[in-house]
Amino acid sequence: MADITRRLGWRHLRGAPTAHIRHHRGGKLLHDGPGLSFWFRALTAALSEVPVDDRELAMTFHARTSDFQDVAVQATVTYRIGDPALAAARLDFSIDPDTGVWRGAPLEQLGTLLTETAQQHALAVLARTPLSAALVDGVTAVRERVAAGLDAEPRLPATGIEVVAVRVMALRPEPEVERALRTPAREQIQQEADRATYERRAVAVERERTIAENELASQIELARREEQLVEQRGTNARREAEEHAAADAVRAEAEATRSVRLARAEAEGVRAVGDAKAQAQAAWLKVHEDVGVATLHALTGTRLAENLPHIDSVTISPDVLTGLLARLGAREPE
């Protein structure tokens, strides 16, 4: 919108760089161009302001596919006014000289023209396309068809309109149909997730079984080695017992042999001592065969005295001595 100020019956217009201003007075074009600034009289001036910047026109409309399913199309058309003079001649871009506001609604007219043209070509494409194909490739097909249709539309160049770009953002079915279409995909995704979960569990179970088998094999191997160890220990103990028994047998045999030898030696010694004593006794007896009784008694007393305990002093009374001597004297004549 142009900026207009008042000064003593005059008006001053200051336009934006993106607005093409056309000033007529008396049927003559006095000012023509974007971003102008000039003075004018409101009673004699005819002003028009044509935007020359790129503009976005968002549109949403409904269409029906070949299988009679309703879809909503969301698209955006970018356009500009390439020929402001032609647009100002075909559409009402005149502005109020006091306020700078458009007297009509030219942009709404442009929007209606673009929307109806784009909708016409989009409906033509979707009417020959089933819903499943439209949801897969419909966005590209609709965009290409709408762009080609706008380029071929004769009213747009005749109005000075240039289409810059066409974008189709979405092509959606009704909510109930969309939920119905999502259900198989969700079920398939859920099945894939369940299968992945089952496979992961199966792998985990297989790994656990492998680990359990390895542990069992380890336990079996350990038990077998323990059995071998026990058997080896028993063999070692038996061998050690046999060796100890053999050593004890050898030791016992040696002890027995030594005992027998000692016994024989002792017996021989005793026999030799006995023989020597017997011989000595016999010699002693032989020596004393011719000795008298009194002498034998005296020797016997001497021998007895040798075997008696030690006596420090002996007191013999005269009576005992007299009787003893008498007895000795009485036996001597024999």
Side-chain angles (χ1 to χ4, degrees):
M1 184 179 67
D3 183 15
I4 298 177
T5 58
R6 301 179 183 181
R7 291 291 187 276
L8 299 176
W10 287 84
R11 305 288 187 271
H12 183 269
L13 183 146
R14 183 174 58 190
T18 57
H20 189 96
I21 305 298
R22 293 176 63 84
H23 176 208
H24 291 80
R25 186 179 63 188
K28 295 181 179 180
L29 183 62
L30 300 181
H31 298 91
D32 185 17
L36 298 180
S37 179
F38 54 88
W39 291 91
F40 66 93
R41 288 185 174 274
L43 296 178
T44 60
L47 302 174
S48 62
E49 181 183 12
V50 180
V52 293
D53 57 337
D54 291 350
R55 292 184 172 265
E56 302 285 342
L57 176 62
M59 59 186 71
T60 300
F61 53 88
H62 292 272
R64 179 169 292 182
T65 61
S66 61
D67 48 1
F68 304 102
Q69 298 296 324
D70 291 336
V71 292
V73 181
Q74 295 180 357
T76 300
V77 176
T78 304
Y79 69 95
R80 72 167 67 97
I81 299 176
D83 191 345
L86 183 59
R90 300 296 299 273
L91 297 174
D92 185 11
F93 282 97
S94 63
I95 60 176
D96 189 288
D98 293 327
T99 61
V101 178
W102 279 317
R103 297 179 183 274
L107 295 183
E108 293 181 2
Q109 295 178 3
L110 282 179
T112 301
L113 174 61
L114 292 172
T115 301
E116 290 178 353
T117 304
Q119 185 175 359
Q120 176 183 356
H121 294 286
L123 293 177
V125 173
L126 294 176
R128 296 191 301 270
T129 306
L131 179 61
S132 58
L135 294 178
V136 176
D137 300 324
V139 172
T140 303
V142 170
R143 182 181 67 249
E144 293 177 353
R145 180 61 181 273
V146 169
L150 292 176
D151 289 340
E153 178 62 34
R155 292 182 59 189
L156 298 180
T159 315
I161 307 301
E162 297 178 0
V163 176
V164 178
V166 176
R167 299 188 303 276
V168 178
M169 281 73 71
L171 200 157
R172 294 180 178 178
E174 293 181 347
E176 294 80 4
V177 177
E178 187 173 4
R179 284 194 296 269
L181 293 175
R182 287 179 180 178
T183 300
R186 290 182 177 179
E187 291 181 353
Q188 184 177 0
I189 293 172
Q190 186 64 38
Q191 291 176 0
E192 293 292 336
D194 294 340
R195 182 166 58 252
T197 301
Y198 295 151
E199 291 178 356
R200 185 169 60 253
R201 290 180 179 176
V203 171
V205 170
E206 182 66 20
R207 290 179 179 176
E208 290 179 357
R209 185 181 63 80
T210 303
I211 293 172
E213 290 180 354
N214 293 335
E215 291 179 353
L216 182 59
S218 300
Q219 293 177 0
I220 293 174
E221 181 65 20
L222 181 60
R224 186 180 64 80
R225 293 187 179 182
E226 288 180 353
E227 182 181 0
Q228 292 178 354
L229 179 61
V230 171
E231 182 179 357
Q232 186 64 36
R233 286 179 177 175
T235 302
N236 295 338
R238 184 168 58 254
R239 186 177 301 170
E240 185 177 359
E242 291 176 356
E243 291 179 356
H244 283 302
D248 292 340
V250 172
R251 191 181 301 107
E253 184 178 358
E255 290 291 337
T257 302
R258 190 172 62 84
S259 298
V260 170
R261 290 179 180 177
L262 289 177
R264 289 180 180 176
E266 288 180 358
E268 291 178 358
V270 170
R271 185 167 57 252
V273 172
D275 292 342
K277 286 183 179 181
Q279 292 177 5
Q281 189 69 27
W284 188 81
L285 291 176
K286 187 176 181 180
V287 171
H288 294 83
E289 286 180 355
D290 300 331
V291 179
V293 176
T295 303
L296 291 175
H297 287 166
L299 291 173
T300 302
T302 303
R303 184 64 58 84
L304 180 61
E306 292 176 356
N307 294 325
L308 289 174
H310 180 70
I311 301 174
D312 291 334
S313 61
V314 176
T315 303
I316 302 175
S317 63
D319 295 336
V320 174
L321 183 58
T322 302
L324 183 58
L325 291 175
R327 293 176 64 183
L328 290 174
R331 293 180 179 178
E332 186 175 351
E334 299 178 355

